[in-house]
């Protein structure tokens, strides 16, 4: 038994020697509700029993939340009793408060009253006492257990009926007891604010997307409202941009409206007797008319002149007959890999449907010129014996003559985005640094760039020349729009740990960052013919809000922030930027979050988080690894964007290539030590780390390099680079970037020495492995292999499988339990309290 295990054991023993009981000091009293008994049609009820008139009155529905009008704070007397004001007749009183424990606790609530009472926890009835006594002294106690997760807020409501016939006092005594616990602190207050926990990333009403009409006059705003783990509602609001007036709402499932490209009408699809029909909606009058019928299902695009629709229609390569299948290529085992999309044209005036592309290779429609005369389309092909194992070609088609101009062929690093300039003389492209012969590469001495560091290029159609416009631009391109209104290119980017939008002027070749609100833009919609944009953005401490943006005035206007009301009821941690200088002289970016009610005089355990893959961890609230989630549980949270991260320039991102943790691990270890040295409130004996996917790999690998962590958690982590390379659906493709031109046979050290499996004997940190059983990106075998190794070595390891889930835990109840598993693991090792972990996973002996 190591020292960490002994300390945890001693702490658990100490927890079991005392009992703590507290009377409630204050509660919130809702205004009493006078009730009457229902009119009785006969003397017995539907079950053949005499009516209990008091029970009938108790069935009266009353509000249970403390934010209703007329609620007042009441205090208990010296005996710990709440004595309520006398009222004539039969009355229902509701008393509410909130509870929060700083650690996991098994508590007991006791409510004593001579009146009939019902007890509710978070709106659900959990206990009642349906008999009245004549005094508090003779009153029956209503007792119930309460399982309290750390920092979770429990809303308690006691509904009390004081009936004339009962002749009992309107009095309540309330007590909470934690058995065998002298350490847990329980906050009790009717005005207690909640903490930002995982359910808060899901529940509530939040803006999802915005879409401004091409003329800039109208706006579609889509909301997603989660009521609980199984109930959600999505709806889209149509409004006027200038006045903000709401025109109508489209509930989910009825109509999914989008904009036509030129006339700014709405359209949606509806099922027809044969295929589907397309219906136009006038946004001013909401008048509808069918413009196309019997069109094929699936995705389509309007031509800018609105005379033609272009469809992708899928066909499938012939499959082998019977249960035995021969693979046609390396990727043939991936579902839908044999699907091929082809472009069809639908003439709205005649209803004629014409096929434009065919063959064994599929085609993808990239763009339509503003005059509707030309299409840009690409074709992709697997190339199993040529790095990076897939190539693309791009073509321009004259839709009137069907003449095709080949723009490029056999390009291995094309990013798939091709957009016409407004005058259709140029094409905006995206791709990795190695695209087009590496003309956009700017990664210093590194021989191969990080091809996840997406760059932008402009191809001139007249001479087929290509210009790398972001070669000296550090942010990474996420999405691009070449705007017809001002001729500028708008790029949503990863820029360090933020997601801003930049405007690129092709005339003077300058970049300008838009002064948008929030740190991380999520959705960005630009009007085609007006200087209006709409966007949503989020920060580390605020949820997604929607704004309008005036391009000419560079001014934003808030239009929706529904989740702000939820945040008003929460205590949030404070987030700060931070950086440190690594031993090689590189400045490494980071940010950290402090717990709510932070006290610099105290010591806090630390959780360290880092990127998964090569994308930076942004300051965006709402994801399952948001810094605020960990800080809300009482941890200082440090988020490091180490070497290899995109968004910091090509030299920095290229450090990811052929490294698999080299230098990245150094940055994380050095950064953690530097942070602890700078901030004395960190408990250096209780530091944890976690990551997912590549971040899960880093968690495992870090434990082979250092013992500074007291606990670690790896979700969907890679333990054996070789097996991930060969088995994962995307293993070869990911390694085509992360291990470019390296393979198990020509670089065996990279595929073994950098993996945790081949270094399992060096791991001393208690390690939690989590994995979805249906993960196709990183197969679950990656966790199984390391679990087997650590068990054989006698190391401290736990393995938790999430049934039926892929790389991301999508099912909400499973996601909450998955997250609580991680937090209970850290409670066990970083706070020396195993009660929560043992409650979720009690010990079982398997022989």
């Amino acid at each position: 038994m190591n020292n960490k295990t002994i300390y945890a054991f001693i702490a658990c023993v100490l927890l079991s020697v005392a009992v703590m009981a507290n009377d409630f000091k204050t509660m919130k009293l809702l205004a009493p509700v006078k009730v009457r008994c229902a009119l009785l049609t006969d003397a017995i009820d539907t079950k053949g029993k005499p009516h209990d008139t008091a029970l009938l009155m108790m069935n009266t529905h009353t509000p249970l939340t403390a934010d209703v009008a007329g609620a007042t704070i009441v205090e208990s007397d010296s005996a710990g009793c709440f004595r309520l004001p006398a009222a004539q007749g039969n009355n229902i009183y509701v008393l509410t408060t909130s509870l929060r424990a700083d650690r996991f606790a098994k508590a007991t609530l006791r409510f004593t009253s001579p009146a009939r009472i019902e007890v509710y926890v978070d709106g659900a009835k959990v206990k009642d006492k349906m008999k009245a006594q004549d005094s508090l002294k003779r009153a029956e106690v209503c007792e119930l257990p309460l399982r309290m997760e750390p920092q979770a807020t429990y809303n308690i409501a006691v509904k009390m009926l004081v009936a004339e016939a009962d002749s009992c006092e309107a009095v309540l005594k309330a007590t909470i007891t934690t058995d065998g616990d002298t350490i847990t602190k329980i906050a009790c207050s009717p005005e207690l604010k909640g903490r930002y926990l995982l359910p808060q990333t899901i529940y509530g009403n939040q803006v999802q997307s915005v879409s401004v009409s091409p003329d800039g006059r109208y706006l579609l705003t889509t909301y997603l409202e989660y009521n609980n783990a199984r109930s959600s509602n999505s709806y889209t609001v149509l409004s006027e941009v200038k006045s903000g007036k709401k025109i109508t709402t489209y509930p989910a499932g009825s109509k999914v409206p989008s904009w036509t490209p030129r006339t700014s009408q709405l359209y949606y699809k509806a099922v027809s007797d044969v295929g589907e029909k397309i219906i136009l909606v006038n946004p001013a009058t909401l008048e509808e008319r069918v413009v196309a019928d019997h069109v094929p299902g699936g995705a389509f695009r309007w031509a800018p002149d609105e005379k033609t629709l272009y469809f992708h229609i899928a066909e499938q390569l012939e499959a082998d007959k019977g249960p035995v299948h021969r693979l046609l290529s390396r990727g043939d085992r991936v579902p839908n890999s044999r699907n091929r999309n082809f472009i069809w044209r639908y003439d709205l005036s005649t209803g004629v449907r014409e096929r434009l592309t065919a063959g064994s290779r599929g085609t993808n429609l990239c763009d339509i010129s503003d005059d509707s005369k030309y299409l840009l389309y690409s074709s992709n092909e697997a190339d199993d014996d040529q790095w990076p194992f897939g190539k693309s070609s791009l073509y321009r088609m004259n839709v009137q003559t069907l003449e095709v101009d080949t723009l490029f062929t056999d390009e291995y690093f094309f990013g798939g985005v091709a957009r016409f300039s407004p005058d259709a003389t140029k094409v905006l492209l995206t791709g990795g640094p190695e695209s087009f012969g590496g003309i956009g590469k700017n990664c210093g001495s590194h021989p191969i760039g990080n091809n996840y560091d997406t760059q932008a290029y402009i191809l001139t159609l007249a001479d087929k020349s290509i210009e790398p416009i972001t070669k000296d631009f550090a942010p990474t391109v996420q999405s691009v729009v070449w705007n017809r209104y001002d001729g500028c290119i708008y790029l949503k980017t990863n820029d360090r740990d933020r997601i801003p939008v930049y405007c690129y002027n092709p005339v003077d070749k300058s970049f300008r960052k838009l002064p948008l609100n929030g740190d991380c833009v999520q959705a960005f919609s630009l009007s085609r013919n007006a200087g209006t944009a709409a966007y949503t953005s989020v920060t580390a401490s605020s949820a997604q809000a929607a704004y309008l943006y005036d391009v000419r005035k560079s001014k934003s206007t808030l239009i929706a922030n529904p989740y702000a009301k939820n945040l008003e009821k929460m205590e949030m941690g404070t987030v700060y930027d931070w950086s440190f200088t690594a031993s090689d002289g590189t400045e490494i970016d980071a940010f950290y979050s402090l717990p709510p009610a932070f006290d610099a005089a105290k010591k806090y355990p630390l959780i360290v988080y880092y990127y998964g893959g090569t994308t930076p961890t942004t300051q965006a609230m709402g994801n399952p690894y948001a810094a605020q989630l960990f800080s809300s549980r009482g941890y200082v949270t440090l988020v490091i964007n180490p070497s290899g991260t995109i968004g910091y320039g090509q030299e920095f991102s290229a450090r990811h290539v052929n490294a698999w943790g080299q230098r990245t691990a150094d940055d994380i270890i050095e950064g953690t030590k530097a942070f602890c040295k700078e901030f004395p409130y960190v408990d250096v004996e209780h530091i944890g780390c976690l990551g997912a996917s590549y971040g899960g790999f880093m968690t495992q690998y870090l434990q082979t390099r250092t013992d500074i962590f007291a606990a670690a958690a790896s979700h969907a982590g890679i333990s054996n680079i070789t097996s991930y390379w060969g088995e994962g659906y995307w293993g070869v493709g990911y390694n085509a970037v992360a291990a470019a031109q390296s393979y198990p046979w020509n670089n065996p050290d990279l595929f073994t020495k950098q993996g945790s499996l081949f270094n399992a004997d060096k791991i001393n940190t208690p390690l939690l492995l989590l994995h979805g059983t249906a993960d196709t990106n990183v197969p679950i075998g990656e966790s199984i292999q390391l679990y087997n190794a650590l068990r054989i070595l006698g190391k401290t390891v736990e393995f938790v499988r999430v049934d039926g889930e892929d790389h991301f835990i999508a099912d909400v109840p499973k996601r909450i339990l998955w997250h609580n598993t991680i937090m209970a693991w850290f409670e066990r090792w970083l706070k020396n309290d195993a009660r929560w972990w043992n409650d979720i996973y009690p010990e079982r002996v398997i022989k």
Side-chain angles (χ1 to χ4, degrees):
M1 185 180 292
N2 59 35
N3 288 341
K4 294 174 182 175
T5 305
I6 293 171
Y7 294 152
F9 174 76
I10 293 173
C12 289
V13 171
L14 292 174
L15 287 173
S16 63
V17 297
V19 174
M20 183 187 75
N22 284 321
D23 291 338
F24 289 19
K25 303 301 182 184
T26 61
M27 297 185 79
K28 187 166 280 191
L29 174 64
L30 280 60
V33 176
K34 288 192 176 296
V35 292
R36 296 174 292 180
C37 185
L39 295 175
L40 305 179
T41 58
D42 53 43
I44 60 173
D45 62 20
T46 56
K47 296 181 180 179
K49 296 181 179 180
H51 289 285
D52 183 334
T53 56
L55 182 58
L56 287 174
M57 290 188 289
M58 196 69 167
N59 286 339
T60 301
H61 175 77
T62 56
L64 298 173
T65 56
D67 54 359
V68 298
T72 57
I73 297 292
V74 292
E75 297 183 357
S76 61
D77 61 18
S78 58
C81 296
F82 295 93
R83 300 187 183 276
L84 310 184
Q88 296 295 320
N90 304 308
N91 291 275
I92 286 180
Y93 296 87
V94 176
L95 287 151
T96 70
T97 194
S98 296
L99 304 172
R100 186 177 67 230
D102 67 338
R103 291 170 178 260
F104 180 83
K106 294 284 188 71
T108 300
L109 292 173
R110 293 181 177 87
F111 298 99
T112 308
S113 175
R116 292 171 169 83
I117 61 173
E118 293 178 338
V119 181
Y120 294 79
V121 177
D122 293 334
K125 179 181 170 182
V126 293
K127 195 78 172 181
D128 62 31
K129 178 180 80 75
M130 284 295 120
K131 291 183 179 180
Q133 291 82 40
D134 60 2
S135 67
L136 183 64
K137 185 176 181 179
R138 294 185 175 88
E140 177 186 340
V141 178
C142 185
E143 182 176 294
L144 66 145
L146 182 62
R147 177 182 180 275
M148 303 184 73
E149 295 178 354
Q151 304 300 345
T153 302
Y154 297 88
N155 299 308
I156 310 299
V158 181
K159 181 179 176 182
M160 177 189 306
L161 172 64
V162 180
E164 285 183 311
D166 292 337
S167 301
C168 61
E169 298 177 85
V171 61
L172 175 75
K173 183 175 177 63
T175 302
I176 183 169
T177 302
T178 54
D179 299 332
D181 188 346
T182 59
I183 296 178
T184 301
K185 297 177 182 178
I186 296 180
C188 176
S189 169
E191 297 182 319
L192 185 68
K193 287 193 172 185
R195 294 288 176 88
Y196 187 72
L197 308 180
L198 188 78
Q200 278 64 55
T201 69
I202 305 164
Y203 303 152
N205 189 5
Q206 298 195 45
V207 179
Q208 289 295 294
S209 63
V210 287
S211 178
V212 66
S213 63
D215 62 7
R217 295 177 58 192
Y218 300 99
L219 180 70
L220 290 172
T221 308
T222 299
Y223 299 82
L224 179 60
E225 186 172 20
Y226 259 99
N227 303 310
N228 54 56
R230 297 295 186 189
S231 174
S232 64
N233 176 43
S234 177
Y235 59 94
T236 299
V237 174
L238 170 65
S239 60
E240 292 179 347
V241 166
K242 188 174 182 179
S243 66
K245 176 185 175 182
K246 176 178 148 182
I247 300 172
T248 192
T249 298
Y250 294 99
S254 60
K255 303 170 183 177
V256 182
S258 300
W259 298 111
T260 59
R262 181 171 58 88
T263 59
S264 295
Q265 296 182 86
L266 290 169
Y267 71 90
Y268 66 92
K269 294 193 299 181
V271 176
S272 176
D273 53 347
V274 179
E276 296 178 343
K277 57 185 175 182
I278 297 171
I279 301 169
L280 284 181
V281 183
N282 185 321
T285 65
L286 300 183
E287 180 183 356
E288 298 187 356
R289 63 185 178 94
V290 177
V291 293
D293 205 346
H294 302 167
V295 300
F300 69 90
R301 293 181 65 170
W302 290 79
D305 62 8
E306 297 185 6
K307 296 178 181 179
T308 308
L309 306 177
Y310 291 94
F311 286 85
H312 279 137
I313 298 180
E315 298 178 11
Q316 194 172 60
L317 296 179
E318 185 176 356
D320 297 321
K321 294 179 174 61
V324 180
H325 303 278
R326 168 181 172 250
L327 294 186
L328 301 180
S329 66
R330 180 185 54 79
D332 194 27
R333 65 193 180 96
V334 178
N336 302 316
S337 63
R338 294 194 178 189
N339 284 358
R340 299 293 185 268
N341 287 325
F342 298 102
I343 303 169
W344 289 69
R345 174 184 174 185
Y346 183 95
D347 190 312
L348 287 167
S349 64
T350 64
V352 173
R353 189 192 310 176
E354 177 186 18
R355 181 170 186 157
L356 298 183
T357 62
S360 61
R361 286 187 294 156
T363 50
N364 178 60
L365 176 61
C366 298
D367 200 13
I368 307 168
S369 63
D370 197 58
D371 59 10
S372 301
K373 293 181 180 180
Y374 295 95
L375 304 183
L376 281 176
Y377 72 92
S378 64
S379 179
N380 306 311
E381 183 180 5
D383 192 352
D384 285 354
D385 60 357
Q386 177 66 47
W387 174 73
F389 316 116
K391 57 187 178 182
S392 302
S393 301
L394 185 69
Y395 306 93
R396 180 181 65 165
M397 176 191 293
N398 185 318
V399 296
Q400 296 173 335
T401 65
L402 296 189
E403 292 179 351
V404 173
D405 183 16
T406 301
L407 304 184
F408 59 75
T409 59
D410 299 339
E411 171 52 54
Y412 285 86
F413 302 96
F414 173 51
V417 173
R419 300 284 184 267
F420 277 117
S421 62
D423 62 4
T425 63
K426 297 181 179 181
V427 177
L428 176 64
L429 307 169
T430 64
E434 301 288 339
S435 298
F436 313 113
I439 60 172
K441 194 159 88 172
N442 185 18
C443 54
S445 60
H446 299 279
I448 302 174
N450 182 339
N451 283 295
Y452 289 129
D453 197 346
T454 304
Q455 305 296 304
Y457 303 82
I458 293 179
L459 182 151
T460 301
L461 292 171
D463 59 8
K464 305 294 195 320
S465 63
I466 299 177
E467 176 190 6
I469 64 173
T470 56
K471 182 176 182 178
D472 300 311
F473 180 66
T476 298
V477 176
Q478 275 195 19
S479 61
V480 292
V481 176
W482 202 328
N483 191 30
R484 181 177 182 274
Y485 174 75
D486 58 10
C488 291
I489 296 171
Y490 290 81
L491 308 95
K492 186 157 80 90
T493 68
N494 284 111
D495 187 1
R496 306 178 75 88
D497 57 12
R498 266 73 165 180
I499 307 177
V501 175
Y502 283 85
C503 175
Y504 175 75
N505 188 328
V507 177
D508 61 16
K509 301 183 180 181
S510 62
F511 287 93
R512 177 175 61 88
K513 185 177 178 180
L514 302 188
L516 305 181
N517 290 345
D519 292 326
C520 301
V521 174
Q522 306 294 292
F524 184 75
S525 173
L526 196 60
S527 61
R528 180 174 180 268
N529 302 316
T532 303
Y535 66 95
T536 64
S537 67
V538 65
T539 73
S541 304
S542 63
Q544 197 163 187
Y547 300 86
L548 285 171
Y549 179 70
D550 188 315
V551 174
R552 291 164 296 182
K553 297 180 181 178
S554 298
K555 180 182 177 181
S556 293
T557 304
L558 178 67
I559 54 175
N561 188 11
Y563 200 74
K565 293 181 179 179
N566 298 61
L567 291 177
E568 289 174 359
K569 301 175 183 178
M570 296 182 204
E571 288 182 287
M572 302 295 291
T574 306
V575 178
Y576 299 93
D577 291 324
W578 185 71
S579 64
F580 69 96
T581 302
S583 56
D584 66 352
T586 304
E587 183 175 301
I588 303 298
D589 213 12
F591 61 92
Y592 65 95
S593 177
L594 300 178
F598 173 75
D599 183 352
K602 296 181 179 179
K603 290 283 188 179
Y604 291 87
L606 174 68
I607 290 178
V608 182
Y609 181 75
Y610 25 80
Y611 69 62
T614 186
T615 304
T617 303
T618 59
Q619 294 197 29
M621 189 178 80
N623 71 73
Y625 299 101
Q628 290 278 16
L629 290 177
F630 306 120
S631 292
S632 289
R633 300 280 193 183
Y635 299 91
V636 173
T637 308
L638 173 63
V639 179
I640 300 175
N641 283 313
S643 290
T645 317
I646 64 173
Y648 290 84
Q650 289 189 40
E651 190 281 328
F652 196 83
S653 69
R655 300 178 184 188
H656 182 75
V657 181
N658 282 310
W660 274 101
Q662 294 178 25
R663 194 166 185 171
T664 300
D666 295 335
D667 288 348
I668 295 170
I669 295 168
E670 290 178 14
T672 302
K673 291 179 177 179
F675 187 83
C676 294
K677 184 177 181 180
E678 183 172 340
F679 300 106
Y681 50 73
V682 173
D683 181 353
V684 296
E685 297 298 320
H686 293 93
I687 305 172
C689 64
L690 83 155
S693 193
Y694 186 91
F697 160 83
M698 283 305 309
T699 294
Q700 299 171 17
Y701 177 60
L702 280 166
Q703 310 324 307
T704 73
R705 293 282 312 280
T706 182
D707 287 329
I708 65 171
F709 299 109
S714 165
H715 173 71
I718 300 160
S719 65
N720 181 352
I721 302 171
T722 304
S723 59
Y724 166 66
W725 170 83
E727 187 180 358
Y729 275 4
W730 325 121
V732 170
Y734 182 79
N735 272 285
V737 176
Q741 300 189 36
S742 291
Y743 308 98
W745 55 88
N746 71 357
N747 194 351
D749 283 355
L750 178 67
F751 284 80
T752 56
K753 290 185 178 179
Q754 294 306 115
S756 59
L757 181 64
F758 292 90
N759 296 280
D761 58 325
K762 301 173 185 175
I763 297 177
N764 299 308
T765 307
L767 177 61
L768 171 65
L769 304 170
L770 307 103
H771 225 117
T773 60
D775 195 333
T776 57
N777 185 346
V778 178
I780 193 172
E782 293 302 313
S783 287
I784 294 172
Q785 291 179 80
L786 185 60
Y787 178 72
N788 287 340
L790 294 177
R791 291 285 291 183
I792 290 170
L793 289 164
K795 306 287 186 173
T796 303
V797 62
E798 295 283 356
F799 180 26
V800 174
R801 301 179 306 174
V802 187
D803 290 344
E805 293 299 298
D806 206 326
H807 204 50
F808 174 76
I809 309 303
D811 181 82
V812 172
K814 293 177 185 177
R815 196 189 315 167
I816 292 173
L817 182 55
W818 161 84
H819 176 79
N820 286 349
T821 297
I822 296 172
M823 299 315 302
W825 180 254
F826 285 136
E827 289 278 322
R828 175 180 176 179
W829 296 104
L830 304 188
K831 294 185 178 179
N832 296 332
D833 189 347
R835 289 176 298 168
W836 193 10
W837 176 267
N838 293 335
D839 181 77
I840 301 175
Y841 303 106
E843 286 296 325
R844 297 175 183 174
V845 178
I846 300 177
K847 296 183 180 180

